[in-house]
């Protein structure tokens, strides 16, 4: 039996955000919040950052 585990770190909880992929993930996470909560970009960015600080992951918020 060959069990594989995939782990996706979507908002810097495990890896340094200096890698090229992370700025793009911030953009996409912000767009998701904008779309789902009908928010302007600035407000969605602040909310994404708040969730990351409080919960350690944007989507937990």
């Amino acid at each position: 039996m060959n069990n594989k585990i995939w782990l996706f770190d979507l908002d810097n909880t495990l890896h340094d955000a200096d890698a090229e992929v992370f700025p793009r993930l911030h953009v996409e996470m912000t767009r998701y919040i904008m779309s789902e909560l009908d928010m302007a970009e600035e407000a969605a960015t602040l909310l994404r950052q708040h969730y990351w600080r409080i919960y350690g992951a944007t989507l937990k918020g």
Side-chain angles (χ1 to χ4, degrees):
M1 185 173 189
N2 185 6
N3 292 326
K4 292 183 181 182
I5 297 174
W6 288 78
L7 179 63
F8 294 93
D9 180 28
L10 298 179
D11 56 17
N12 316 335
T13 55
L14 301 174
H15 298 283
D16 184 7
D18 291 337
E20 190 173 316
V21 70
F22 289 105
R24 183 67 183 165
L25 285 173
H26 288 300
V27 169
E28 295 304 323
M29 293 289 265
T30 300
R31 284 184 183 170
Y32 176 78
I33 292 171
M34 290 170 65
S35 172
E36 292 299 310
L37 301 179
D38 192 28
M39 299 179 88
E41 184 175 359
E42 184 177 341
T45 297
L46 291 173
L47 184 60
R48 176 183 56 76
Q49 292 169 342
H50 172 75
Y51 284 162
W52 185 82
R53 279 192 309 275
I54 299 300
Y55 301 109
T58 302
L59 292 179
K60 280 186 176 181

